Structure formats: C-alpha cells, structure tokens
Amino acid sequence: MCGIIGYIGSKDAVPILAQGLKNLEYRGYDSAGIVTIYKGKLATAKCKGRIADLKSLLKKKVLRGNVGLGHTRWATHGVPSVVNAHPHLDCSGKISVVHNGIIENFQDLKENLKKQGCKIKSQTDTEVAAHLISKLYKGNLEAAVRGAVKKIKGSFALGVISSDEPGKIVAARRDSPLVVGLGSGENFIASDVAAILNYTKQVIYLEDNQMAVITKDSVNMLDMRGNKVNKDINTISYRQEDVQKRGFSHFMAKEIHEQPQVLSRIISCCVSRQNTIRFKDFNLDSSFLKKVENIIIIACGTAYHAGLVGKYIMESFLRIPTSVDYGSEFRYRKPVIRKNSLVIAISQSGETADTLAGVREAKKSKVRVLSICNVLGSSLTRESDSVIYTHAGPEISVASTKAYTAQIMTLYFLGLYLANLRNSLSKSYINGAIASLKKVPTKQREILQNSSAIKAIAKKHLHFGAFLYLGRNINFPTALEGALKLKEISYIPAEGYAAGEMKHGPIALIDEYRAVVCIANNSFVFDKMVSNIQETLARKGKIIAIATQGNKQLREYLKEIIFIPPIEEEFSPLLTIIPLQLLAYYIAVLKGYDVDKPRNLAKSVTVE
Ligand code: AGP
C-alpha cells in the first residue's frame, strides 16, 4: 500500500505535500517523491528511504509551485530506489503520475509502448501509466487518463498532473482508496484523510471507476464516460491530533493504551440507556436475521484472529455453525455457501484486497454481507449490505492492537443482539453479559498500569531465538494473535498453537532456547493448560504465563507470570491479549526496531 497526496491552491505546495506524506508514512515507507509545476515545467525530487530523507533532499533541491503530487511507496514492482520511486514521468517530461495499486497487465502495455518508441526507465508498473496517458494525450488530461485506465487491468488510485494544463489535478480510482479534500481556494487528493486533516475535514470519497478533476476553485466528479456524478460531502469526525502520538514514543504504544477508551466508546454506541443493544444504520432486517442458519467470517491477519474469537462467540450464543476463512483462501476455494448464510467481513482499513475479494466471491452466491470496519467510506463498507463501525479512531501503527479488541467487543455485542432476536440466550444471561462487558475497560486499565512488570519480562526474554504461544478454547486465537504481534515487529520467529496440539508435534520444539507463552487464565480448561505447562517445564522450556489474579498454584513452579483481573472466560480475550501486545511492543523497542513501521509490511495490504 502506498501514500498519495496532491495539492492545488495558492500556497507553496511542497510543505503541504511533505507534511501530508509524513502523515501517510505508515502506509508505505521504502521510497518517496514529490513533483510540482512551476513556470510551465515539472520539477521532481525523489529518494530511497523515509520522508525524513525526502525532506533533507528538498532542502537542497528546492521545488517551487502551487500545484503538485507526493507519494510514499511500499514496493510491489521493482526494488526501493530513486528510479523506482514515484512520481513517474512520461518521455516528454510533461506528464507526471503517482499510483497506489497494481497494474496487472503492465508487461503487455510496456512492450507495446516500447514498440512505439517509449523509453521506460524504471522497473515499476506505474511508469507505464505515465507513458500511456502521454500517448493518449490530445490536449485534455482527464480524457487521456480516462483512455489510459480503460486499458489498465488491476487496481489503481492515480494522481496525474501535466505542465501543459498546470491548473488542474486529475485523479482516478479502482480498488484503491482515494479521497478529494475540499478547501477554500485550494483542493486536495489523498489516499487517506490523515494526509489532509490539517487543512480540511470536508472530503469526497471516490468510488471505483470514478475520476475527479480538481482546480484550486472547483471539483468535478466524473464517471468513466466523462459524465458528471453527484457525490456526498463527508465531514471527518476525528482530529489531526488523533493521528499524532500525543506523548507516546510510538503509535503502537498510544493505540495499546487507547483500548479502554475505545471499548468505552463502543459500549456507549451499542448499549442504550434501556440496556438494549443497537447498531447505528443497521439495515439487516430481523426476519432475515432470524432465518440465518450459517455464518461465514472472512478476514485477514489480526482481523482473522478476531474472527476466530467470533466463531466461539457466535456458536456459543447462537448455536449455529460459524466458519472463519482467510480472504486469500476463500476467494479461490470455490466455497460452498448455503442459502440463509450471513457473511461477516472484518477489516480495520476496509481496503484489504484479499478480504474484499473474498466478499466479492461470496456475493456471487447472493448472500448478505455485514462488515465490521474502522474506516468510514472505505471500499468494504461500500460493498457491504450493512456496516458496524468499530469507532476505534485512526489506527496508524502497522501492528493492529486497538482495532483487534474493538472488533472483538463489536462481535460480542453482535452475538448478544442476534441471540436476543433469536431467543437463543436468556434475558438474564444477556443482561449479565452486558454488565461484564461494561467492566472490561477498567480491567484493561489495570493491566496497562502493570506495563513496567511486562517490560521487565520482555527484557529477560528478548534474546530468545523463537517463541511458541499456547492457548486453548476461546484463547487459542489469542495465542495466534500474540505470536503475530511479536513476529511482525520484532522479526523473531513466533507461532501460536492450540495447546492441546502440543503432543502432536510442537513439543519437539521445546528446549531451553525457546520461550513458551502460556495463556492460563481461569477457565474450564485451566487444568489442561497446567499439563501443557508441566510438559514444557519437563523439557526446560522457558515459560511466560498469563494467569488470573489470585491464582496461587502457578506461582509454585513459575516465575514469569503476568496477571489479569478476574473475568468470565467467554469475555477473557479482551484482557488476555493486552499483556501479549505489550510484550511484543517492549521486545521490539528493546531490540531497537521501528515498531510503527516494521520492515516489509504496510498498514493495509490493498494489493494481492
Ligand atoms: C496486523 O497487526 C497486521 N498489520 C495485518 O495482519 C492486518 O491485520 C491485516 O493486513 C488485515 O488488515 P485489515 O484489518 O485492515 O483488513
């Protein structure tokens, strides 16, 4: 995923573009560049590395002009390098393009363009778009862009400028997010509102196969035939400071510590004063929901782990079969989808290509899709029959934390809502569950106040070459998520396993060089976890246990224990994950890694 920003107005474009890219850096950060138009010419500055490197370059290579484009890259085609960094130019040097997405037929297009005499300089797919637009340019930039995107297969969010038409920016979108920001005497394009929140909260979301032609005083939204389309103007609710660290060393630390307030917000959104559960703009009718016989959850990464917790929730509360699939598997598996199925798609960004593709595959069977998503107006929300927003605020750190517990809390409320509708749970259980969930934010705060003890444990274990995370029942997904958190920011091999599976293979891994994280909170399977702990100790495994306050038994044979407040087992995933998020965070920080922008990763994977 890459970051795109464009500016046209009366101000100097470069400071606006550079700051916008800084706010987008979480989307991709292996190279970056800016192009402006000044005195009828394009001027470009590009570099390998971070936005800080680009800012240093811009001190030496000063670009002038009131219109320009900026891009920060997560490489798909071609290594991170200056020549592969965006923006890309056509041969004439008059047309410049920034792009997020993948041009799947770029090789064919490239061969064709080379036969027409184009000199292709980079290894990227994007440069092909610049030459294609140039070949089709007959004095109208938006017409040339329209012609070019019709020849392009794949996904794109494009920003295009031309020195022959310096008063406009043309944008086009298919499968990769793009918004237009509306200012006074200035307008913007961006791949994410975080880039432009300093300047405007009024945005228009482009839909797939739509274009925008913006000048400093006008915005025209067009379809791919060039016809004007009317679009709603959305007002962004969160503030620029929501995308700042606010005193924390990293966004990940801030977002871990935001979880109690996020869950409190969800509780206030989902639970009425009469203690009933409701969702804003929820338009799946009760008659359909009462008939649902089967739930299919589609998600990726951390959202997939939340989906696995959702399986336990839905099967326990509703007693109907619930499957959970990676989007990347579901889309190609030729899935069997029975009638009266409900698909639940879970995604923080709402732009994950595999999840979107899974949903599109499911919709071929005419099933209803409910999405649980954190980003207003994202692609997934527009392709779903109904949406429940998680209200977690912008999640900037690549490692997902507050979105995870927000998704799980939302799944609890959805499960209770459906159970009430279908009379599969008693009113007293439902009221008791709501009461327990209302206590979770306070209990999370209690764990967060114990961060220094968790940091001390991290310090003792950061040299281990590999970690194994073990969990059972509704905390098996917690083990998977804890392992993902560690591996993606500390690069230490870590795997999550159902503890009951230890004897079927993983126990061979145990020795004094392996750290084993055991999720052993109070549970009906606690004694089984104790057996796993004993088996691990017998083979000199180094154990870090998550246990419930008051548990004295584990203290008899374990030293490294992180306690969580007592909570009913069915709600414990909202607590057991907190120590694991902090453990991963501290290990990565102590190892000196860039926690918020881990190598090879991007915040939202909008390509296959
Ligand atoms: C989680 O820490 C990762 N950043 C990644 O696995 C992420 O959860 C996955 O890409 C799904 O993203 P989404 O929730 O935006 O769809």
Side-chain angles (χ1 to χ4, degrees):
M1 180 179 77
C2 305
I4 289 174
I5 180 170
Y7 172 78
I8 187 161
S10 313
K11 299 184 187 107
D12 197 2
V14 167
I16 294 169
L17 298 173
Q19 185 51 47
L21 289 178
K22 188 67 192 149
N23 292 338
L24 290 176
E25 198 169 26
Y26 70 95
R27 297 173 64 93
Y29 31 84
D30 58 43
S31 53
I34 281 178
V35 62
T36 61
I37 301 176
Y38 184 61
K39 291 186 177 167
K41 287 196 180 320
L42 292 181
T44 305
K46 307 200 289 189
C47 71
K48 184 179 173 192
R50 298 293 173 86
I51 302 307
D53 302 309
L54 178 64
K55 286 183 173 177
S56 306
L57 173 62
L58 290 164
K59 288 197 177 90
K60 289 181 267 190
K61 185 174 186 185
V62 177
L63 304 186
R64 295 261 177 270
N66 311 118
V67 53
L69 300 170
H71 186 274
T72 182
R73 184 172 181 243
W74 181 70
T76 55
H77 296 69
V79 296
S81 66
V82 174
V83 74
N84 287 334
H86 304 204
H88 288 285
L89 299 181
D90 71 323
C91 294
S92 71
K94 292 187 170 184
I95 288 176
S96 187
V97 173
V98 291
H99 168 230
N100 177 29
I102 285 192
I103 298 177
E104 293 172 358
N105 60 333
F106 87 99
Q107 286 293 11
D108 296 343
L109 294 170
K110 187 172 184 174
E111 290 318 310
N112 205 339
L113 288 161
K114 281 162 80 172
K115 284 184 193 134
Q116 298 176 55
C118 284
K119 298 273 177 290
I120 312 276
K121 298 190 191 73
S122 77
Q123 304 159 300
T124 68
D125 54 340
T126 303
E127 187 188 350
V128 164
H131 294 294
L132 198 51
I133 292 165
S134 177
K135 281 292 172 200
L136 295 167
Y137 184 70
K138 304 269 183 294
N140 179 303
L141 189 57
E142 55 266 33
V145 172
R146 199 161 36 246
V149 299
K150 282 176 184 160
K151 295 173 182 295
I152 287 173
K153 292 197 184 86
S155 58
F156 54 78
L158 285 173
V160 187
I161 57 175
S162 166
S163 53
D164 285 346
E165 297 183 63
K168 70 171 75 164
I169 294 176
V170 176
R173 175 220 146 118
R174 185 194 302 155
D175 286 348
S176 285
L178 203 53
V179 295
V180 171
L182 307 175
S184 166
E186 60 186 17
N187 289 304
F188 309 79
I189 63 167
S191 42
D192 181 326
V193 294
I196 54 177
L197 271 177
N198 274 327
Y199 311 101
T200 180
K201 292 191 175 185
Q202 305 299 309
V203 296
I204 297 173
Y205 293 99
L206 273 79
E207 311 269 348
D208 277 351
N209 299 312
Q210 283 184 350
M211 292 176 64
V213 180
I214 70 170
T215 70
K216 71 183 187 65
D217 297 310
S218 68
V219 171
N220 277 319
M221 306 303 292
L222 307 170
D223 63 19
M224 282 304 164
R225 286 187 298 280
N227 303 320
K228 279 198 173 190
V229 291
N230 294 318
K231 299 288 292 177
D232 295 337
I233 296 176
N234 296 274
T235 302
I236 298 302
S237 57
Y238 55 77
R239 304 146 306 167
Q240 183 60 44
E241 53 270 31
D242 288 332
V243 292
Q244 306 305 329
K245 292 177 197 162
R246 278 196 304 193
F248 286 93
S249 311
H250 301 94
F251 281 112
M252 185 174 178
K254 175 189 161 213
E255 289 153 11
I256 289 172
H257 286 80
E258 276 180 332
Q259 291 177 100
Q261 75 195 58
V262 168
L263 297 195
S264 299
R265 195 181 310 143
I266 294 172
I267 292 163
S268 59
C269 287
C270 297
V271 183
S272 71
R273 267 198 283 275
Q274 296 72 32
N275 216 39
T276 58
I277 295 170
R278 81 275 199 246
F279 304 108
K280 189 167 178 295
D281 303 334
F282 188 62
N283 48 29
L284 292 178
D285 54 276
S286 301
S287 57
F288 161 72
L289 292 171
K290 283 175 183 166
K291 286 196 315 240
V292 167
E293 295 166 6
N294 177 47
I295 292 176
I296 299 167
I297 297 175
I298 300 173
C300 299
T302 288
Y304 172 80
H305 298 150
L308 288 174
V309 175
K311 173 184 173 69
Y312 287 89
I313 295 170
M314 299 303 166
E315 293 197 345
S316 164
F317 288 6
L318 309 176
R319 305 310 297 155
I320 58 173
T322 300
S323 63
V324 191
D325 269 280
Y326 287 119
S328 54
E329 287 300 311
F330 189 84
R331 67 187 293 185
Y332 294 120
R333 181 160 67 75
K334 297 189 180 56
V336 174
I337 301 176
R338 284 178 288 178
K339 67 178 180 54
N340 291 335
S341 291
L342 170 65
V343 168
I344 300 176
I346 305 173
S347 174
Q348 188 284 133
S349 64
E351 299 299 347
T352 300
D354 287 326
T355 305
L356 284 166
V359 163
R360 289 165 190 159
E361 175 64 25
K363 287 174 79 169
K364 290 177 190 168
S365 305
K366 308 277 181 277
V367 289
R368 307 277 189 89
V369 176
L370 167 64
S371 59
I372 294 176
C373 187
N374 194 41
V375 177
L376 181 74
S378 57
S379 303
L380 177 64
T381 63
R382 287 205 301 280
E383 300 192 27
S384 303
D385 297 289
S386 195
V387 182
I388 302 178
Y389 284 104
T390 48
H391 306 292
E395 187 178 68
I396 305 299
S397 187
V398 166
S400 187
T401 50
K402 64 176 181 175
Y404 177 69
T405 50
Q407 289 157 359
I408 292 174
M409 181 62 100
T410 303
L411 285 161
Y412 280 123
F413 283 130
L414 176 61
L416 292 169
Y417 174 86
L418 295 174
N420 181 55
L421 196 64
R422 299 161 61 103
N423 295 316
S424 57
L425 286 175
S426 67
K427 290 284 185 278
S428 62
Y429 177 87
I430 292 171
N431 291 334
I434 292 172
S436 295
L437 291 170
K438 283 181 174 177
K439 292 173 190 162
V440 167
T442 302
K443 295 182 177 183
Q444 286 188 331
R445 280 191 192 90
E446 211 179 311
I447 300 170
L448 292 168
Q449 279 151 18
N450 189 30
S451 297
S452 50
I454 297 169
K455 183 174 183 177
I457 290 176
K459 212 165 192 164
K460 284 185 194 166
H461 295 80
L462 67 91
H463 302 301
F464 277 88
F467 279 66
L468 182 63
Y469 287 71
L470 300 177
R472 282 181 178 261
N473 194 34
I474 200 167
N475 278 299
F476 162 43
T478 307
L480 297 175
E481 176 58 13
L484 175 61
K485 287 287 87 59
L486 183 71
K487 75 180 85 168
E488 70 174 327
I489 62 175
S490 72
Y491 318 140
I492 299 173
E495 59 182 314
Y497 241 96
E501 276 294 293
M502 272 281 278
K503 52 194 175 294
H504 302 290
I507 198 162
L509 293 169
I510 304 302
D511 57 26
E512 62 270 37
Y513 307 108
R514 182 170 301 263
V516 183
V517 178
C518 295
I519 301 154
N521 56 300
N522 290 356
S523 144
F524 76 99
V525 285
F526 172 76
D527 291 343
K528 308 294 176 202
M529 271 316 290
V530 170
S531 305
N532 293 123
I533 288 171
Q534 294 294 358
E535 289 157 13
T536 303
L537 288 173
R539 291 156 181 85
K540 302 194 180 69
K542 300 294 179 219
I543 290 179
I544 300 169
I546 309 297
T548 303
Q549 285 164 3
N551 181 310
K552 299 211 177 353
Q553 180 183 339
L554 293 178
R555 191 48 92 199
E556 288 164 24
Y557 36 79
L558 293 180
K559 284 203 303 298
E560 312 297 359
I561 304 176
I562 303 168
F563 288 101
I564 64 169
I567 188 169
E568 297 86 347
E569 178 178 11
E570 64 262 44
F571 307 122
S572 62
L574 289 167
L575 299 186
T576 50
I577 192 60
I578 306 293
L580 306 188
Q581 293 169 342
L582 288 167
L583 183 68
Y585 170 72
Y586 286 125
I587 287 177
V589 169
L590 290 165
K591 289 175 83 77
Y593 292 129
D594 185 341
V595 170
D596 287 328
K597 296 189 278 292
R599 68 185 183 193
N600 307 341
L601 287 175
K603 180 57 187 171
S604 168
V605 186
T606 57
V607 295
E608 261 209 87

